[in-house]
Amino acid sequence: MNTDYKVGDFIYNADIYDGLNNSLSDLEFYKKWLPQNKDAKILELCCGTGRLTIPIAKDGYNIKGVDYTLSMLERAKEKAFQAGLKIDFIEADIRELNLGEKFDLIFIPFNSIHHLYKNEDLFDALKVVRNHLKEKGLFLLDCFNPNIQYIVENEREQHVIAEYTTKDKRRVLIKQSMHYENASQINRIKWQYFIDNKFHSVQNMDMRLFFPQELDSYLKQIGFNIIHKFGDFTEGEFDDNSEKQIYILELKK
């Protein structure tokens, strides 16, 4: 079994990424759960180009952003500078992070945990959260609820999933195909990029799937209590038809 799982470098090209990922449908949800005290310390793991970090900082919060990809952080720093904000953006692997301080709220948004491909990767990241969270702090997390029927129906077939124009005026079209590996729970996704009507490259977008009872169990095992589990960002009840798994968590007492 090939265990070389990854996300292609071009997917993290700042202009390409921002052109595709400009929705703020989750922002109000995360804002709702922020502490009322603006002096509270907030930590965003897998912050990308600051899509959520910057609007939260604009509201007056003390927030730090961590990401593994330097190019994404450079774009986040540019955005913060343009907005007149001072935000500490940190290049680090969330499995190994040690900031030597604790936070009132930590969140991992935008399905980012799907790129923790092995159980030990997930456990290491969750332990980092546990070690950085204050005793009465909150941990927020969102990811997909696996839809095996959708994966099977779309197995290896190619579909257009996005068409957009980047800030630097490139026209982008992305076609997607996928293949699910049962043994590893990895959905092998390939994105075929066309830039200005010309084929550019094929990029991997591999994602580890976490099934509901499995993820609940892992979170409890590492030391979290599940306060709420929602199925969407309007805080609808989690059920069979939920596209998302959205957690509000606290440390076990």
Side-chain angles (χ1 to χ4, degrees), residues 218-231:
Y218 292 160
L219 289 162
K220 293 173 184 176
Q221 178 181 332
I222 297 300
F224 294 100
N225 284 327
I226 300 171
I227 302 173
H228 299 290
K229 183 173 183 178
F230 302 118

Side-chain angles (χ1 to χ4, degrees), residues 37-88:
N37 176 15
K38 293 292 180 72
D39 292 328
K41 295 167 66 174
I42 315 298
L43 178 64
E44 180 182 2
L45 301 178
C46 304
C47 66
T49 63
R51 183 182 63 89
L52 299 179
T53 330
I54 289 170
I56 289 173
K58 282 181 177 178
D59 283 352
Y61 281 97
N62 173 12
I63 184 169
K64 292 185 178 182
V66 175
D67 203 277
Y68 185 72
T69 307
L70 180 59
S71 61
M72 304 277 273
L73 291 175
E74 289 174 344
R75 176 55 56 88
K77 291 175 183 178
E78 288 175 15
K79 292 179 182 178
F81 177 78
Q82 291 168 3
L85 298 168
K86 291 185 178 180
I87 303 173
D88 192 4

Side-chain angles (χ1 to χ4, degrees), residues 176-222:
Q176 174 177 283
S177 61
M178 63 180 70
H179 170 63
Y180 179 62
E181 295 179 351
N182 291 296
S184 63
Q185 296 179 209
I186 305 293
N187 193 17
R188 291 272 197 178
I189 301 170
K190 292 190 180 296
W191 283 2
Q192 191 172 34
Y193 278 86
F194 295 82
I195 310 295
D196 294 330
N197 298 318
K198 295 180 181 179
F199 172 74
H200 178 274
S201 61
V202 176
Q203 303 284 322
N204 288 68
M205 184 63 172
D206 298 330
M207 301 183 82
R208 159 74 186 273
L209 301 188
F210 294 99
F211 292 90
Q213 292 191 63
E214 171 193 24
L215 190 50
D216 289 1
S217 176
Y218 292 160
L219 289 162
K220 293 173 184 176
Q221 178 181 332
I222 297 300

Side-chain angles (χ1 to χ4, degrees), residues 128-139:
V128 163
V129 173
R130 184 187 66 195
N131 294 339
H132 284 81
L133 192 62
K134 289 184 179 179
E135 185 177 343
K136 296 183 179 180
L138 291 180
F139 171 37

Side-chain angles (χ1 to χ4, degrees), residues 6 13 55 68 91 106-107 128 140 168 204 209 212 221 230:
K6 61 183 179 180
N13 174 285
Y68 185 72
E91 181 187 2
I106 300 174
F107 65 106
V128 163
L140 278 60
D168 58 359
N204 288 68
L209 301 188
Q221 178 181 332
F230 302 118

